Amino acid sequence: PRTLAYKVCCGNKINNNITNKHRIDFENSTPINDFINKVELIELETNDSSLIKSIRKIEYYKDHIYVFDKDQRIVVIFDKDGKHINTINNKGQGPKEYLDINDFGIDRFSNQIYGITNFTRTYS
C-alpha cells in the first residue's frame, strides 16, 4: 500500500494546517473520490534557487509547501500559491550547517523544521 497526502477540504473552506494521510491499497480499494472531495493543483515557481531534481516528500503547513529533494539533499519552500520563498541548503561542516539529510520534519508545536540524518559521530 502507498501513502496518500492531501489537503483537507470542507465545502469551499480549506483547513490549511492539516494534512491527512491514509494507507491505500490501489488494487483492492474503494474509489479515491469516496474520501477526497477536492484536488487542488499548484504550479511551483521555477528559478535557479527552486529547481527540484527528485521529490521524496512534500509537507503542507501554515500556508507553505515544503518539498524535500532527496538527490540534492535540500528542502525547497513555497507559499500557498507556489511562489518560491526559500531553500534550505546549508551543507557544510560549520555552525548551522549539515553534512547530509535523508528526510525532514516539521515540529508543529515549536513551528520549526528539522533535518533527519544517518550521520553518526564516533570519538576515539
Side-chain angles (χ1 to χ4, degrees):
R2 298 182 214 164
T3 300
L4 177 69
Y6 60 92
K7 287 197 293 185
V8 176
C9 299
C10 304
N12 292 330
K13 287 184 153 189
I14 298 176
N15 184 342
N16 290 320
N17 296 325
I18 299 174
T19 299
N20 283 343
K21 294 181 182 179
H22 294 279
R23 286 254 178 234
I24 298 173
D25 179 352
F26 283 94
E27 294 175 10
N28 303 311
S29 179
T30 57
I32 200 164
N33 294 346
D34 286 357
F35 52 90
I36 297 177
N37 65 1
K38 182 180 178 183
V39 174
E40 182 180 343
L41 298 177
I42 301 169
E43 184 176 349
L44 302 179
E45 178 183 9
T46 303
N47 60 43
D48 289 341
S49 299
S50 68
L51 294 178
I52 300 168
K53 183 176 180 183
S54 178
I55 296 174
R56 174 169 180 174
K57 181 177 187 178
I58 299 174
E59 291 275 345
Y60 190 85
Y61 179 65
K62 290 197 173 185
D63 291 333
H64 289 83
I65 302 164
Y66 300 84
V67 181
F68 177 59
D69 183 323
K70 72 175 189 166
D71 288 346
Q72 297 185 78
R73 306 290 201 232
I74 61 174
V75 178
V76 187
I77 305 168
F78 301 90
D79 70 12
K80 66 180 180 170
D81 299 316
K83 183 175 175 359
H84 177 250
I85 295 174
N86 197 4
T87 299
I88 299 173
N89 186 12
N90 300 340
K91 290 178 251 170
Q93 294 185 18
K96 298 186 180 184
E97 294 180 336
Y98 56 85
L99 291 175
D100 189 25
I101 58 172
N102 298 314
D103 198 355
F104 82 100
I106 300 172
D107 183 336
R108 286 161 166 74
F109 295 105
S110 66
N111 295 314
Q112 293 183 343
I113 299 171
Y114 57 91
I116 301 170
T117 182
N118 286 334
F119 176 73
T120 304
R121 179 176 283 181
T122 55
Y123 298 94
S124 39

